[in-house]
Amino acid sequence: MKEIPIQKNEEYSLEITDIGTDGAGIGHSNDFVFFVKDTVPGDIVKIKVIKVKKSFAYGKLIKIIKPSKDRVEPKCPIARQCGGCQLQHLSYEKQLEYKQRKVKNCLERIGGCREFVLEPILKMDEPYHYRNKAQFPVGKTKDGKLAIGFYAGHTHSIIDTKTCCIQAEINEKVMELIRNFLETYQIPPYDEESHTGLVRHILTRAGFATGELMICLVINGDKLPYEKEFVEMLTKKEWKISTNQGEKDSDSFKFWKVTSISFNINKEKTNVIMGQECVFLWGKPYITDKIGENSYRISPLSFYQVNPVQTKKLYDMVLEFAKLTGKEIVWDLYCGTGTISLFLAHQAKKVYGVEVILQAVEDAKENAKINGIENAEFFCGRAELVLPEWYKQYPQEKADLVVLDPPRKGCDKKLLLTIAAMKVEKIVYVSCDPATLARDIKILGEYGYCLKRVRTCDMFGNSIHVESVALIQRKES
């Protein structure tokens, strides 16, 4: 048996030459591959080996001997510890190159795709303070103090922080108020190991176009103590902060006002953040926001894209790929609150949306009414059950276009086989994971489909994640 030349706790100097799918830098020494977090291509570093496998090892960065020309200073003081922004130390242009290459590699290696057009990535004008949704875990530090922040990478240890460079800036004020509330009334934070304590997470949603704020506490119980005081604290004033989100003038101001306060009940011993029941304390059970000309109602449990500026670019790309004429029957699967459905409805004959979360379906129906759209219909259920059942009942009814926007795990194979059996001419697939996108394209390829065009969209600046839109057509088309 060949002896492994690398030992745990040994130190090495090496040059980083690439980035892995999880954002760690890749280097080589003694015919071994090293994955080193917090490094970028071009860095020459000193590392300590922390884990050894048969043909690769993981190293901990000890010292940067010579920084890469593409290395930048992170804006966030806890960027290295936090698991949210894996690429904040890499220049933005190189982040875009990495994401573009990541999508291309997945499509070629996993999907077996060869003849397709990979179009230029849709970049962000400002890759900071772009998220309209935040989920802050609540717990205790090692010395027993209240911790509100984010999980350290690959752990459930909470890094206590008062700021975040990719969240809406208003969250700093919200977190300050809630922190004071929890400390003042000595409301216990949740403890994962003992399944005790009350407050598990803080959910915020911000309507960038409307200035409306939603605040929802996720609790391990049936009642939030001091509800009246909590509501009064959050509603006694309108907040004004400096912001450059979506604006060229960095001195512009944004007014925010809390319009929805609730708590969500999650008493399960689970890593799932939200429970199924929300109790509304004040205001509306939703906030509203706009993408393009459409207005949307968003509830605590509803899916809604986290980057509204880039979402508009993404949806415009969906429409361009769809090339609707007004005569088409369209299915929008995993439709959430109907955001894509309503974009499509302006240019299609009929749109059917399918979503598994009932609250999101109710929001979608209301969003159609708000926008005066009468040619969109929504069903609650799993896409892999709803579409096959519909096709079984109405085999003669043709679908001209299917839009897929699944979660990270991609589509159920049963759904893909139904789409193929229906002989849908065109599929527009919106993906947040290029690996599952490539897998699903490969399955469709076995049933007469081929990838034509792909365009990536950077929805998640400073992270490893990337959104893609793929145009898939039947080969006979």
Side-chain angles (χ1 to χ4, degrees):
M1 184 175 179
K2 185 178 179 181
E3 183 179 351
I4 297 176
I6 304 297
Q7 299 297 320
K8 186 177 178 180
N9 296 324
E10 289 182 338
E11 295 184 359
Y12 291 89
S13 295
L14 61 140
E15 181 179 0
I16 303 300
T17 57
D18 203 351
I19 310 177
T21 56
D22 64 351
I26 299 174
H28 299 81
S29 182
N30 291 347
D31 295 324
F32 237 65
V33 177
F34 288 83
F35 294 94
V36 186
K37 185 178 174 290
D38 304 311
T39 63
V40 303
D43 280 345
I44 298 176
V45 297
K46 184 177 182 181
I47 68 161
K48 182 178 182 179
V49 178
I50 56 175
K51 185 184 289 186
V52 181
K53 299 291 185 179
K54 287 185 178 181
S55 58
F56 63 92
Y58 295 96
K60 179 181 179 180
L61 176 64
I62 297 174
K63 179 183 177 182
I64 299 174
I65 299 169
K66 183 180 178 181
S68 166
K69 61 180 176 59
D70 300 316
R71 173 175 282 276
V72 297
E73 186 65 26
K75 286 190 177 185
C76 177
I78 62 166
R80 186 169 176 182
Q81 303 102 294
C82 179
C85 290
Q86 305 89 349
L87 300 178
Q88 207 174 118
H89 51 288
L90 181 64
S91 72
Y92 186 58
E93 290 304 317
K94 290 299 177 179
Q95 290 183 34
L96 297 177
E97 289 181 15
Y98 160 74
K99 293 178 181 186
Q100 191 83 330
R101 187 171 65 251
K102 181 178 181 178
V103 171
K104 184 175 184 290
N105 287 344
C106 285
L107 292 172
E108 291 179 345
R109 295 174 183 177
I110 300 173
C113 304
R114 293 292 178 265
E115 297 181 5
F116 64 94
V117 177
L118 180 60
E119 300 178 11
I121 190 169
L122 293 165
K123 61 187 285 188
M124 295 176 62
D125 297 325
E126 175 53 62
Y128 295 96
H129 299 298
Y130 58 84
R131 286 186 61 96
N132 58 18
K133 176 185 177 183
Q135 296 174 137
F136 301 92
V138 180
K140 289 184 178 180
T141 61
K142 291 181 179 179
D143 56 1
K145 294 181 179 179
L146 177 67
I148 302 174
F150 299 100
Y151 292 125
H154 306 294
T155 76
H156 268 223
S157 287
I158 300 173
I159 302 171
D160 191 39
T161 184
K162 297 179 180 179
T163 186
C164 176
C165 291
I166 63 171
Q167 303 288 352
E169 293 138 306
I170 189 60
N171 280 323
E172 292 184 26
K173 291 184 179 290
V174 174
M175 290 303 105
E176 181 183 356
L177 283 175
I178 295 179
R179 186 186 294 270
N180 290 339
F181 170 76
L182 297 179
E183 290 176 340
T184 298
Y185 295 100
Q186 297 183 337
I187 297 174
Y190 182 67
D191 183 278
E192 280 191 358
E193 292 187 7
S194 63
H195 193 49
T196 58
L198 185 67
V199 181
R200 303 174 68 133
H201 279 81
I202 302 165
L203 166 72
T204 68
R205 287 185 183 269
F208 278 28
T210 61
E212 295 185 9
L213 275 175
M214 172 188 292
I215 298 171
C216 178
L217 295 188
V218 183
I219 64 172
N220 178 40
D222 296 304
K223 185 174 175 58
L224 177 67
Y226 303 99
E227 291 178 1
K228 181 180 177 182
E229 291 80 359
F230 183 62
V231 169
E232 287 179 349
M233 173 196 70
L234 293 172
T235 57
K236 62 184 177 183
K237 66 176 182 178
E238 187 178 66
W239 291 313
K240 179 183 178 184
I241 62 168
S242 178
T243 176
N244 61 358
Q245 174 61 40
E247 303 283 349
K248 292 184 179 179
D249 179 7
S250 61
D251 295 324
S252 62
F253 284 87
K254 175 77 178 182
F255 287 92
W256 296 96
K257 188 174 183 179
V258 176
T259 57
S260 176
I261 303 174
S262 63
F263 65 84
N264 173 269
I265 298 172
N266 183 358
K267 295 188 287 185
E268 301 297 320
K269 197 168 185 179
T270 174
N271 290 335
V272 176
I273 293 174
M274 303 290 286
Q276 294 302 309
E277 182 182 355
C278 289
V279 178
F280 294 97
L281 301 176
W282 184 87
K284 302 176 294 185
Y286 57 85
I287 62 169
T288 55
D289 199 14
K290 293 188 72 172
I291 300 174
E293 297 302 313
N294 290 331
S295 296
Y296 297 98
R297 190 177 85 168
I298 310 147
S299 301
L301 296 176
S302 298
F303 172 78
Y304 185 73
Q305 291 282 4
V306 300
N307 186 333
V309 175
Q310 291 298 97
T311 296
K312 174 61 166 59
K313 299 178 185 178
L314 184 77
Y315 290 178
D316 285 344
M317 185 54 53
V318 170
L319 284 176
E320 183 187 327
F321 280 16
K323 292 194 184 315
L324 298 172
T325 65
K327 300 177 181 179
E328 294 85 1
I329 303 298
V330 180
W331 282 82
D332 179 18
L333 307 178
Y334 313 95
C335 70
T337 58
T339 48
I340 294 179
S341 302
L342 303 190
F343 264 69
L344 296 165
H346 288 295
Q347 300 181 20
K349 179 181 178 181
K350 179 77 175 184
V351 177
Y352 297 103
V354 181
E355 170 58 46
V356 70
I357 298 173
L358 178 59
Q359 194 174 78
V361 173
E362 292 173 351
D363 285 346
K365 292 177 179 179
E366 186 62 29
N367 290 334
K369 292 179 184 178
I370 291 170
N371 293 283
I373 293 173
E374 299 180 348
N375 61 331
E377 186 175 348
F378 297 95
F379 303 99
C380 184
R382 291 164 54 190
E384 62 269 22
L385 298 180
V386 173
L387 189 65
E389 182 61 29
W390 183 86
Y391 180 54
K392 182 180 178 181
Q393 291 187 33
Y394 310 103
Q396 74 284 357
E397 293 197 22
K398 182 176 174 59
D400 301 291
L401 170 70
V402 167
V403 175
L404 300 169
D405 189 5
R408 199 168 300 280
K409 66 179 181 179
C411 296
D412 187 283
K413 187 174 181 179
K414 182 179 179 181
L415 174 63
L416 299 176
L417 296 185
T418 300
I419 293 170
M422 292 170 69
K423 297 184 178 180
V424 177
E425 294 295 327
K426 187 185 299 182
I427 302 165
V428 177
Y429 194 134
V430 181
S431 168
C432 59
D433 188 328
T436 54
L437 168 65
R439 178 204 67 200
D440 291 348
I441 289 174
K442 186 174 183 179
I443 293 171
L444 288 167
E446 296 170 359
Y447 294 88
Y449 288 85
C450 63
L451 176 64
K452 292 292 187 180
R453 297 171 63 189
V454 180
R455 190 158 196 185
T456 51
C457 180
D458 187 25
M459 300 279 284
F460 317 103
N462 295 297
S463 81
I464 58 174
H465 304 296
V466 61
E467 201 92 359
S468 306
V469 182
L471 174 61
I472 305 160
Q473 289 185 320
R474 289 186 69 213
K475 291 177 183 177
E476 299 94 317
S477 301

